[in-house]
Amino acid sequence: MRHQELHKSEAFDIVDLAEVWPERAAELEGKIDVNGAPAVPDLPGAAGVMIVGVYTALMGAFAITLAHEGHAAFAIGIGAFFVAMFFAVPLVFLRLEKDKSRRPTLTAFLETGIETATGHLSGAGALVQMLIVPLLLAFAILAIGVINLLI
């Protein structure tokens, strides 16, 4: 058994499709990208920026409303660290992507939408599903902070 190291070409075997799947090799010839698959082929970069912005607003709402209490500041710092790590992993995948031109623009995404396991979803519907929970949580935290200041 050998472990896999991508930077050492002698650590893995390159398999010829015609040898392992000869009946589909001619059909798939030229359709398989051997230089790596896109990290996020269905989502535009602007959607990622929106998601990062909403989660930043959520952490900002926590910081604005609760950071003046000493015990909450530590918990908010831990939460901010986890949010940063939550976005660091996809950032690594996006940095490894070779061809970023395959990702759609925001307008193309809004026009065509996205295919999911349960069927087609419009672009606007997909953005709403990605952004609604952290956005409403940010508003709820701000409302709690305002109520806390008034009491």
Side-chain angles (χ1 to χ4, degrees), residues 70-108:
H71 61 282
F74 181 70
I76 292 169
I78 297 295
F81 173 76
F82 277 107
V83 168
M85 291 302 103
F86 179 72
F87 291 114
V89 173
L91 184 64
V92 169
F93 289 140
L94 289 171
R95 296 282 182 200
L96 293 174
E97 186 178 39
K98 293 182 192 288
D99 185 13
K100 295 172 180 31
S101 66
R102 292 188 267 186
R103 253 185 273 146
T105 63
L106 182 61
T107 55

Side-chain angles (χ1 to χ4, degrees), residues 46-58:
V49 171
M50 286 183 219
I51 293 169
V52 170
V54 170
Y55 274 94
T56 302
L58 175 62

Side-chain angles (χ1 to χ4, degrees), residues 7 12 25 38 69 78 84 116 125 136 150-151:
H7 65 278
F12 58 89
E69 300 176 20
I78 297 295
T116 66
L136 290 179
L150 295 176
I151 294 180

Side-chain angles (χ1 to χ4, degrees), residues 101-143:
S101 66
R102 292 188 267 186
R103 253 185 273 146
T105 63
L106 182 61
T107 55
F109 174 73
L110 291 173
E111 289 173 4
T112 60
I114 189 170
E115 290 297 325
T116 66
T118 57
H120 184 76
L121 185 63
S122 70
L127 284 178
V128 167
Q129 285 189 12
M130 289 184 270
L131 301 175
I132 192 75
V133 171
L135 187 64
L136 290 179
L137 281 173
F139 284 131
I141 296 301
L142 288 175

